Amino acid sequence: MKKKSHYDSPLGGITLIADETALLGLWFDWQPGYADDDSAVLGDSPTIDAAK
């Protein structure tokens, strides 16, 4: 299952998408549309936590 989470980094807001094994992508807030993935559910995962 893909998870999607938002992170307020020192460089600006970032949306991260990951599955059980890998980070699939990350997009800054100023990149509209890139993080639109309807199959990803909101939430954190160990992969997303490691990326943050």
Side-chain angles (χ1 to χ4, degrees), residues 9-38:
S9 82
L11 300 174
I14 298 174
T15 298
L16 302 98
I17 296 180
D19 64 12
E20 294 81 11
T21 60
L23 184 66
L24 302 175
L26 60 89
W27 300 268
F28 286 95
D29 288 350
W30 51 265
Q31 294 178 285
Y34 285 97
D36 292 340
D37 187 340
D38 293 336

